[in-house]
């Protein structure tokens, strides 16, 4: 690998790490619209077979799925946090590819080249 290519990769890595350090709000999980019953005995909506749409964030950890109910404003926040998580994951993968290229002195492997 040419020295100029190494410099370019190191610079790219630095930029990615700087961008990563700026993101604070992130979480793993999925924001989904769940339809559920409220189980109030006199709820006409549930009695009629209609259900209550409710935004939730589901996060699986250690084989268990945690469900966080998102009222009102928290939906957008949660969506942004999940999106940030995926963005960061992609950047981490990119830094990993750069590091592998620098380690092996070969050009950056294609995306997914060393994924299992
Ligand atoms: Zn109901």
């Amino acid at each position: 690998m040419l020295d100029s290519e190494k410099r370019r990769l190191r610079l790219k890595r630095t930029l990615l790490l700087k961008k990563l350090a700026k993101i604070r709000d992130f979480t793993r999980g999925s924001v989904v619209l769940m339809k559920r019953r409220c189980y109030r005995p006199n709820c006409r909506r549930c009695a009629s077979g209609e259900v209550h749409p409710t935004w939730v964030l589901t996060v699986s950890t250690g084989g268990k799925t945690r469900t966080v109910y998102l009222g009102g404003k928290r939906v957008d926040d949660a969506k942004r946090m999940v999106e940030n998580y995926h963005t960061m994951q992609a950047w981490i993968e990119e830094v990993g590819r750069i590091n592998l290229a620098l380690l092996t002195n070969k050009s950056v492997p294609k995306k997914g080249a060393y994924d299992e």
Side-chain angles (χ1 to χ4, degrees), residues 37-40 43 45-46 52:
R37 294 181 174 280
C38 69
Y39 296 107
R40 271 175 282 185
C43 178
R45 198 173 181 148
C46 287
H52 302 263

Side-chain angles (χ1 to χ4, degrees), residues 16-84:
L16 284 165
L17 292 172
K18 278 182 182 169
K19 289 199 313 187
L20 272 166
K22 281 183 186 168
I23 297 183
R24 290 164 188 240
D25 298 324
F26 60 93
T27 184
R28 200 158 54 77
S30 307
V31 176
V32 290
L33 187 62
M34 211 173 77
K35 291 175 179 175
R36 62 180 192 135
R37 294 181 174 280
C38 69
Y39 296 107
R40 271 175 282 185
N42 298 322
C43 178
R44 287 185 179 186
R45 198 173 181 148
C46 287
S48 74
E50 253 187 281
V51 284
H52 302 263
T54 312
W55 285 102
V56 296
L57 170 70
T58 58
V59 187
S60 55
T61 40
K64 288 183 179 177
T65 302
R66 188 175 166 203
T67 302
V68 179
Y69 291 92
L70 303 167
K73 281 173 81 179
R74 293 201 303 171
V75 176
D76 286 342
D77 287 346
K79 281 181 178 173
R80 191 172 44 80
M81 288 171 77
V82 169
E83 197 180 302
N84 282 344

